Amino acid sequence: MIEYRTPAELEEMRPAGRFVADVLTALADEAKVGSNLLDLDALAHDMIKKRGAESCYIDYHPSFGAMPFGKVLCISVNDAVLHGLPHDYDLADGDLVSFDFAASVDGWVADSALTVIVGEPRPADQRLIEITNEALAAGIAQARSGNRLGDVSAAIGAVAKQNRLKVNLEFGGHGVGHTMHGDPHVPNNGRRGKGLPLRPGLVLAVEPWFLHTTDRIYTDPDGWTLRSVDGSRGAHAEHTVAITESDPIILTARD
């Protein structure tokens, strides 16, 4: 069921967005050569406790997960692009790292993701991050009352096409509210002028993710982490966005 929020409810969602943004900023700052994935997850867990927030991940067990996730943070490294299950791994020079984090504050959820490079960057990885962020910005620019959901999807897909990247449609954006994943699904490619009419009060997680040379993925033996079939590296970007009578509000904007 698609839900629409009142202006007062959108204001109530702002603290969740601010908290998720702060956690991702802290994680990006702490992601250094030698940082352990379990320590980064513990940092996010500690911030959740101090804020009095609730994790959206730790008990999460959808049909595509082998078991409850068990951690509070997705960390996807190199050829892993989504749903990375934190494990005992020390980040190495040049690693491409995506953080995906969602939490509930006072009953409202926000969801966001970013990708960083640890140590010496590869130019191709830097460009992939730039493209993914460009696609996110393009999608958000179309998240306006009077447009349709296909306009958001088509804008994301156009950036991918311009940069000769393939788009996987298995996982994408989604509605956000009292739960992390709600209707509608927001594919990362689509047709302009098609799909759900966008109305004020709709809150979406806009969520492009791309791999260097493929759109095909497989599930790691850990039962969660999604990796590219050809070993190419991936980038992921996401913001929780509210549609209003005027400009979209990026609830998870980082300073």
Side-chain angles (χ1 to χ4, degrees):
M1 182 177 69
I2 296 171
E3 298 179 320
Y4 298 89
R5 307 301 172 190
T6 66
E9 287 176 323
L10 294 182
E11 288 301 311
E12 291 173 3
M13 295 185 75
R14 286 185 183 272
R18 179 72 266 163
F19 173 67
V20 166
D22 289 346
V23 171
L24 285 174
T25 297
L27 290 164
D29 289 343
E30 288 298 316
K32 302 178 176 67
V33 174
S35 297
N36 189 280
L37 303 191
L38 294 177
D39 291 337
L40 293 169
D41 182 76
L43 169 62
H45 205 162
D46 185 59
M47 291 182 74
I48 288 171
K49 290 179 180 178
K50 288 180 178 178
R51 180 59 178 80
E54 295 182 10
S55 170
C56 293
Y57 291 167
I58 198 161
D59 296 321
Y60 187 52
H61 190 188
S63 60
F64 54 80
M67 65 288 188
F69 191 71
K71 304 295 181 184
V72 301
L73 174 68
C74 293
I75 314 178
S76 303
V77 181
N78 296 333
D79 65 320
V81 67
L82 294 175
H83 305 167
L85 185 63
H87 58 284
D88 187 11
Y89 173 77
D90 293 333
L91 292 173
D93 188 44
D95 276 348
L96 187 62
V97 186
S98 297
F99 296 109
D100 189 358
F101 180 70
S104 175
V105 175
D106 300 326
W108 294 104
V109 171
D111 190 2
S112 187
L114 60 77
T115 300
V116 299
I117 299 169
V118 174
E120 186 68 25
R122 300 181 186 183
D125 288 344
Q126 287 182 306
R127 183 58 189 145
L128 186 64
I129 292 174
E130 291 171 0
I131 293 167
T132 308
N133 288 332
E134 288 169 12
L136 176 62
I140 292 173
Q142 294 299 315
R144 308 182 71 90
S145 180
N147 284 354
R148 288 182 176 266
L149 192 62
D151 297 322
V152 176
S153 298
I156 294 169
V159 173
K161 183 178 181 180
Q162 290 163 7
N163 291 279
R164 299 181 179 180
L165 294 177
K166 297 179 180 179
V167 178
N168 179 292
L169 297 179
E170 294 173 77
F171 296 94
H174 48 87
V176 181
H178 290 299
T179 60
M180 176 172 58
H181 288 150
D183 293 328
H185 174 63
V186 187
N188 285 324
N189 202 0
R191 296 176 60 190
R192 294 190 185 279
K194 300 295 183 180
L196 177 76
L198 302 181
R199 290 170 36 196
L202 182 64
V203 182
L204 302 173
V206 181
E207 186 172 5
W209 59 276
F210 303 127
L211 296 157
H212 276 300
T213 57
T214 187
D215 61 350
R216 295 174 57 207
I217 53 178
Y218 73 94
T219 303
D220 186 89
D222 68 14
W224 273 99
T225 304
L226 297 178
R227 299 184 181 277
S228 66
V229 297
D230 64 358
S232 61
R233 290 146 76 101
H236 181 195
E238 178 182 18
H239 273 309
T240 296
V241 180
I243 295 169
T244 73
E245 295 283 0
S246 56
D247 295 335
I249 299 172
I250 302 174
L251 294 169
T252 50
R254 297 181 294 274
D255 294 334

